[in-house]
Amino acid sequence: MRARILLIVLAVVILGAVGGLAYLGLNPPNPVSKPVEKTLPNDKFQVH
């Protein structure tokens, strides 16, 4: 009896995981785009 409940719970969890992955595969999230900030070297205050 206990093994049957465990198998049912395990099957529900596996089906939920497969369903979630299928949903993400069909509807992927949009990536967040940020501008790239490039720093330029400042030789003005460095001692040579």
Side-chain angles (χ1 to χ4, degrees):
M1 182 71 177
R2 188 174 251 169
R4 177 178 260 175
I5 294 173
L6 182 65
L7 285 176
I8 291 173
V9 170
L10 188 63
V12 168
V13 169
I14 290 174
L15 286 175
V18 169
L21 288 175
Y23 176 77
L24 284 177
L26 293 174
N27 302 314
N30 293 330
V32 178
S33 60
K34 291 192 287 187
V36 176
E37 295 181 12
K38 187 173 183 181
T39 58
L40 299 174
N42 187 0
D43 296 334
K44 191 176 189 178
F45 299 108
Q46 293 181 353
V47 178
H48 293 282

